[in-house]
Amino acid sequence: MVKLRVLLVLILLSALHTGVHGVEPGKIIGGQQSTLPDWFKDSFLDISEDVEEAKDEDKHLMLYMHLSGCPYCYKMIEEGFKNSTNTQIIKDNFNVVAINIKGNKEISLNENLTMTEAEVRDHYKVNFTPTIVFLDQNNHLVYKVNGYRSPQNFKHALDFVSSRSYQQMSLAQFISNQDRRKRYTLRVHDSFQEISDLSKKRQKPLLVLFEDQYCVLCDRLHDGHLNNPEVIQLLDLFDVVRLDAESNQPIVDVDGNSTTAKQFANKLSLNYRPGIVMFDQGKEVMRIDALLYSYHFAGHLRYIGERHYLQYPESVFDYLTVYKQSVLKSGQNIDLSK
């Protein structure tokens, strides 16, 4: 009888482990834990005080907003902060305070505003990790970097802020003044459509891809995501237009204004290349202005293309949480690092 009870318990535990339908749940893999540089500021999380200390050193304050296990954070720390030609630039011009966007430490942004780390995420409208918030010496946000940036692209942002060029121009204008010798030749793709009037009513959401001749990551986009069968299938949910963000090609924007591709990119304040902006019913719903690996890239397209944003309007991550559970229950793994 004892042996029978033990056997029944083992069977029950096995059933719980493998799920209701006998399928072993999948796992989330590919997360990487980064160790922050020891030269990051050991802050009491009184941001006004941190700004004043940075001001005394004639520096800006940088808020590095991250998430434990985030592969993009790991890549940014290793390539952008630790082992980079940017390392000394950051040390010389910035004090860096790390904030865990799911943390519960109390942060004082100023004398009238105190909140938790997680609430700071919402305050600065953080949709990607890492997100880097640059504050000037008056504690005002002057620029925000969404997601991972290559060392070269990150240097543009560092130079833009440290030189205080934000007082006279946009980052796009700042970059256009730099010596950029590498040239990218715009490539074709079967999903791209010849549409010059973006304001026309359409059945599908509209996806506008912005590239230009200076794009460092555009080849990677074409060889990677745009060569992925899952992504190609998801692009069928959209009307897809590729615009050269440096071009004076005449277009009609989503608001019905006659303009050019370059002016439209500037109007959207889209500084990242390749940058993707998705519209539905004439309104911008989401943009991808950061490096995303396959799982998140496809998830963002599915969120808009299948119009899940109507059910989960607050955040794409609300939708991805539900989607993730269905994938794991089916027995599939989710790799966050590819």
Side-chain angles (χ1 to χ4, degrees):
M1 180 63 69
V2 173
K3 290 183 178 180
L4 179 59
R5 288 177 180 172
V6 171
L7 180 60
L8 290 173
V9 169
L10 290 175
I11 292 173
L12 177 60
L13 289 174
S14 176
L16 289 172
H17 177 68
T18 57
V20 177
H21 300 292
V23 178
E24 184 173 348
K27 299 177 181 178
I28 296 178
I29 60 177
Q32 293 178 290
Q33 187 67 45
S34 56
T35 302
L36 301 177
D38 57 11
W39 45 266
F40 273 24
K41 183 177 175 61
D42 187 13
S43 171
F44 291 105
L45 299 181
D46 184 332
I47 302 304
S48 293
E49 182 177 300
D50 291 332
V51 166
E52 284 300 315
E53 290 181 8
K55 181 178 180 180
D56 290 342
E57 301 174 40
D58 197 26
K59 296 180 178 181
H60 286 76
L61 186 68
M62 179 192 301
L63 304 182
Y64 174 75
M65 309 189 73
H66 66 105
L67 183 64
S68 298
C70 162
Y72 310 103
C73 301
Y74 177 86
K75 189 175 180 66
M76 189 75 183
I77 285 292
E78 297 301 317
E79 296 181 4
F81 286 88
K82 286 184 180 178
N83 306 302
S84 172
T85 54
N86 293 330
T87 302
Q88 197 59 48
I89 295 174
I90 298 171
K91 288 182 177 181
D92 290 343
N93 295 282
F94 301 91
N95 286 346
V96 187
V97 173
I99 296 176
N100 185 335
I101 66 165
K102 288 194 174 180
N104 55 14
K105 294 180 181 178
E106 189 173 90
I107 296 178
S108 173
L109 292 181
N110 55 55
E111 61 182 10
N112 300 315
L113 192 58
T114 299
M115 57 186 67
T116 65
E117 290 175 288
E119 290 170 332
V120 170
R121 171 196 66 202
D122 297 331
H123 177 78
Y124 286 119
K125 299 179 181 178
V126 174
N127 293 316
F128 299 96
T129 51
T131 288
I132 297 171
V133 171
F134 292 98
L135 301 175
D136 68 10
Q137 295 177 355
N138 294 312
N139 200 8
H140 297 149
L141 188 153
V142 294
Y143 193 67
K144 184 172 72 170
V145 172
N146 297 315
Y148 167 83
R149 291 292 189 272
S150 68
Q152 180 181 346
N153 284 347
F154 190 36
K155 186 177 185 301
H156 288 315
L158 296 173
D159 291 343
F160 175 67
V161 175
S162 63
S163 65
R164 294 174 172 79
S165 296
Y166 55 81
Q167 296 174 345
Q168 291 89 31
M169 66 187 77
S170 69
L171 178 63
Q173 293 170 317
F174 177 79
I175 293 175
S176 70
N177 294 333
Q178 307 303 303
D179 180 17
R180 298 176 296 171
R181 298 175 183 175
K182 179 177 173 58
R183 295 292 184 267
Y184 160 75
T185 301
L186 273 65
R187 296 163 59 173
V188 298
H189 192 275
D190 289 342
S191 298
F192 296 165
Q193 303 173 39
E194 294 293 334
I195 300 175
S196 59
D197 187 348
L198 308 183
S199 68
K200 287 185 177 180
K201 291 184 178 180
R202 57 192 75 249
Q203 297 298 314
K204 299 179 180 180
L206 174 69
L207 184 152
V208 183
L209 166 64
F210 290 90
E211 300 182 317
D212 62 36
Q213 61 178 325
Y214 307 111
C215 181
V216 175
L217 296 175
C218 284
D219 278 319
R220 175 172 177 162
L221 174 70
H222 282 262
D223 295 333
H225 294 321
L226 297 188
N227 198 36
N228 180 339
E230 180 186 12
V231 169
I232 292 173
Q233 185 175 3
L234 288 170
L235 289 177
D236 287 339
L237 300 172
F238 296 86
D239 288 331
V240 181
V241 179
R242 191 269 305 282
L243 297 178
D244 180 350
E246 292 288 317
S247 169
N248 290 318
Q249 168 194 352
I251 63 169
V252 177
D253 68 18
V254 293
D255 296 319
N257 301 312
S258 296
T259 184
T260 66
K262 182 175 182 178
Q263 290 171 340
F264 187 40
N266 290 336
K267 177 182 177 180
L268 294 171
S269 300
L270 188 69
N271 298 311
Y272 183 77
R273 307 285 186 269
I276 293 174
V277 184
M278 290 173 276
F279 302 86
D280 200 14
Q281 306 302 316
K283 303 294 184 182
E284 179 182 340
V285 186
M286 167 164 283
R287 59 178 62 188
I288 299 176
D289 54 353
L291 172 70
L292 293 180
Y293 294 132
S294 296
Y295 169 72
H296 286 117
F297 188 84
H300 282 61
L301 295 187
R302 193 179 299 107
Y303 176 65
I304 304 301
E306 296 178 353
R307 294 190 166 100
H308 296 291
Y309 76 89
L310 296 173
Q311 184 177 359
Y312 304 97
E314 294 298 322
S315 170
V316 60
F317 296 104
D318 292 339
Y319 159 68
L320 286 176
T321 297
V322 176
Y323 176 75
K324 174 182 67 178
Q325 294 305 319
S326 67
V327 173
L328 296 178
K329 285 180 180 179
S330 73
Q332 300 178 65
N333 292 337
I334 294 174
D335 191 341
L336 301 177
S337 65
K338 293 182 179 179

